[in-house]
């Protein structure tokens, strides 16, 4: 409807999609979104989060916006910096109309091991405690390109986004931890988090070291305030997609869930970057569903049918000498990715269906 404010259109979309069918009366409702990294301007505007909050409140729910801390060093690796980042990017209790809670706590160590029914790669997903404490989970996703997963939609917003710092490590990396001796301050805080005897303090150098007992659990990462601990053994993108799917199942199993994705400002890479480049595709629209897998497929199909924008990473790649056309905008944008592994595995483990009916309003 022309002349209708965008937030009103957005509310009409999610109401038409059936969000009102969820019993939210007196229930805690986690709205999982991404607050954007400082320096990035392509994340969803807070106005969209406010619209979801308003609808949830009208249904009697008790909403809160949430995300988990990041694995990588940046402005969202602990709750204090994460909240400061959210505030600077416009997400405050005043603007969004509800509290903002970092789900895995101050240092990213407040998580719950959630069994994954039918999991092939993950037996217990490490999910931020506040996410699992909620009665209802709503994902509000910015649909865009991604350098590892191919694109970021509902499944990645929930699977990777709801993992604690150790959970993100579990999805991204294998092997054992490594410690940068120049960054290590010898404070020993990481050692208190290790249950396997994998950390040994060297009295001579006053530095922490890794022993053969390291189980690669990643619990030490959140304990280090100086980013001295990391994992170098990154998993293949195919396996990353499967693990994201299994983490998503852990998040949504056994409770009401609803999913919204906006295909706007389709940046070539994740909103976790401290910058965003020219959108690779035009704005397409807003999508909502009870099925996060069907939602991702619908968004993918809409994107693949669109014409790439000029002067973007995607169009530059396609114009480069020796370009090999994969007939897939996301793979042409980041050739090393395989986004299908996540969606195909999600269907295999029973998250939802790749078949959908697209209803336009």
């Amino acid at each position: 409807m022309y002349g209708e404010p965008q937030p009103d259109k957005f509310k009409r979309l999610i109401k038409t999609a059936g969000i009102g069918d969820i019993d939210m009366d007196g229930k805690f409702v986690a709205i999982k979104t991404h607050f954007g990294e400082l320096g990035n301007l392509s994340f969803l505007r807070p106005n969209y989060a406010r619209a979801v909050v308003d609808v949830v409140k009208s249904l009697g729910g008790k909403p809160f916006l949430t995300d988990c801390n990041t694995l990588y060093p940046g402005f969202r690796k602990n709750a204090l910096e994460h909240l400061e980042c959210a505030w600077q990017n416009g997400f405050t209790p005043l603007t969004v109309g509800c509290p903002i809670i970092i789900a895995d706590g101050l240092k990213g160590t407040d998580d719950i091991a959630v069994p994954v029914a039918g999991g092939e790669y993950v037996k217990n997903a490490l999910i931020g405690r506040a996410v699992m404490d909620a009665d209802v989970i709503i994902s509000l996703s910015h649909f865009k390109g991604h350098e590892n997963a191919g694109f970021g939609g509902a499944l990645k917003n929930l699977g990777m986004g709801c993992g604690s710092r150790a959970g993100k490590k579990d999805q991204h990396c294998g092997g054992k931890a490594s410690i940068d001796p120049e960054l290590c301050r010898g404070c020993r805080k990481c050692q208190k988090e290790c249950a396997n005897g994998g950390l040994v303090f060297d009295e001579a150098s006053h530095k922490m070291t890794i022993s053969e007992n390291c189980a690669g659990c990643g619990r030490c990462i959140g304990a280090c305030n100086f980013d001295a601990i990391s994992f170098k053994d990154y998993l293949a993108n195919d396996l990353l997609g499967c693990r994201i799917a299994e983490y998503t199942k852990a998040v949504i199993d056994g409770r009401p869930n609803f999913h919204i994705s906006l295909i706007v400002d389709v940046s070539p890479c994740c909103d976790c970057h401290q910058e965003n480049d020219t959108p690779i595709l035009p704005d397409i629209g807003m999508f909502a569903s009870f099925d996060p897998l069907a939602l991702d497929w619908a968004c993918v199909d809409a994107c693949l049918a669109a014409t790439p924008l000029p002067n973007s990473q995607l169009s530059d790649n396609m114009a480069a000498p020796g370009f090999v056309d994969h007939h897939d905008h996301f793979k042409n944008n980041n050739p090393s990715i395989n986004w299908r592994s996540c969606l195909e595995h999600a269907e295999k483990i029973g998250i939802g269906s790749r078949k959908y009916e697209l209803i336009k309003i």
Side-chain angles (χ1 to χ4, degrees):
M1 183 183 299
Y2 293 105
E4 183 181 8
Q6 191 79 342
D8 291 349
K9 290 182 181 180
F10 185 61
K11 290 179 182 179
R12 185 157 56 88
L13 166 74
I14 61 179
K15 289 177 180 178
T16 303
I19 194 171
D21 294 340
I22 301 175
D23 177 13
M24 298 189 190
D25 191 23
K27 307 291 179 62
F28 291 105
V29 181
I31 302 171
K32 169 62 182 74
T33 194
H34 193 303
F35 303 122
E37 192 67 51
L38 289 184
N40 189 302
L41 295 177
S42 67
F43 58 87
L44 292 182
R45 294 174 180 86
N47 311 64
Y48 293 112
R50 179 60 184 256
V52 180
V53 168
D54 288 346
V55 171
V56 169
K57 284 184 174 180
S58 73
L59 297 171
K62 299 179 179 179
F64 63 95
L65 255 59
T66 192
D67 198 1
C68 286
N69 292 304
T70 58
L71 178 64
Y72 62 87
F75 293 101
R76 297 180 300 123
K77 64 181 181 294
N78 61 64
L80 298 184
E81 294 177 11
H82 204 153
L83 287 172
E84 176 70 24
C85 177
W87 297 338
Q88 289 197 44
N89 283 340
F91 295 88
T92 71
L94 180 63
T95 58
V96 300
C98 71
I100 299 172
I101 299 174
I102 306 306
D104 59 342
L106 180 62
K107 296 183 178 181
T109 56
D110 188 14
D111 55 21
I112 300 176
V114 182
V116 181
E120 297 179 21
Y121 303 94
V122 180
K123 298 306 178 186
N124 292 287
L126 301 173
I127 308 297
R129 185 175 298 273
V131 166
M132 296 311 301
D133 281 347
D135 303 303
V136 179
I137 181 78
I138 296 174
S139 64
L140 174 59
S141 309
H142 173 216
F143 201 90
K144 70 281 184 187
H146 194 278
E147 60 278 12
N148 298 124
F151 66 82
L155 293 178
K156 186 177 181 298
N157 184 40
L158 289 168
M160 185 61 71
C162 290
S164 65
R165 294 195 81 188
K168 289 180 172 66
K169 178 267 160 190
D170 185 36
Q171 294 171 77
H172 271 300
C173 312
K176 297 185 177 184
S178 62
I179 296 180
D180 185 336
E182 294 192 5
L183 294 178
C184 177
R185 304 290 183 89
C187 66
R188 302 194 187 196
K189 290 183 179 180
C190 58
Q191 198 171 31
K192 296 178 182 178
E193 297 294 329
C194 182
N196 306 297
L199 292 168
V200 177
F201 189 70
D202 185 345
E203 296 287 353
S205 64
H206 203 65
K207 303 288 184 180
M208 194 61 68
T209 62
I210 304 293
S211 80
E212 68 277 4
N213 295 327
C214 174
C217 69
R219 300 292 303 174
C220 54
I221 296 177
C224 182
N225 293 335
F226 307 104
D227 300 316
I229 305 175
S230 62
F231 285 78
K232 309 297 184 185
D233 187 12
Y234 279 81
L235 300 175
N237 286 337
D238 290 4
L239 184 54
L240 171 66
C242 294
R243 287 176 176 263
I244 288 173
E246 295 192 1
Y247 262 70
T248 300
K249 187 170 187 183
V251 171
I252 65 175
D253 255 3
R255 57 179 167 168
N257 54 92
F258 187 81
H259 313 280
I260 313 156
S261 287
L262 281 74
I263 309 179
V264 297
D265 298 322
V266 187
S267 52
C269 295
C270 184
D271 292 340
C272 292
H273 285 246
Q274 295 179 25
E275 79 290 328
N276 60 280
D277 210 337
T278 303
I280 59 175
L281 298 171
D283 290 354
I284 295 174
M286 306 180 288
F287 297 69
S289 175
F290 282 101
D291 184 338
L293 174 56
L295 179 64
D296 273 358
W297 272 109
C299 290
V300 165
D301 287 345
C303 287
L304 296 186
T307 301
L309 290 177
N311 302 314
S312 67
Q313 177 176 299
L314 174 57
S315 63
D316 287 351
N317 286 354
M318 295 175 72
F323 167 70
V324 177
D325 191 355
H326 299 282
H327 305 287
D328 179 330
H329 293 332
F330 298 113
K331 197 165 182 63
N332 286 343
N333 181 53
N334 287 299
S336 65
I337 59 89
N338 176 17
W339 56 264
R340 293 179 181 272
S341 69
C342 179
L343 274 60
E344 290 170 353
H345 191 64
E347 185 173 50
K348 180 181 178 181
I349 62 176
I351 287 179
S353 174
R354 286 187 284 175
K355 298 179 180 179
Y356 62 88
E357 178 187 3
L358 187 63
I359 300 172
K360 297 182 179 181
I361 63 170

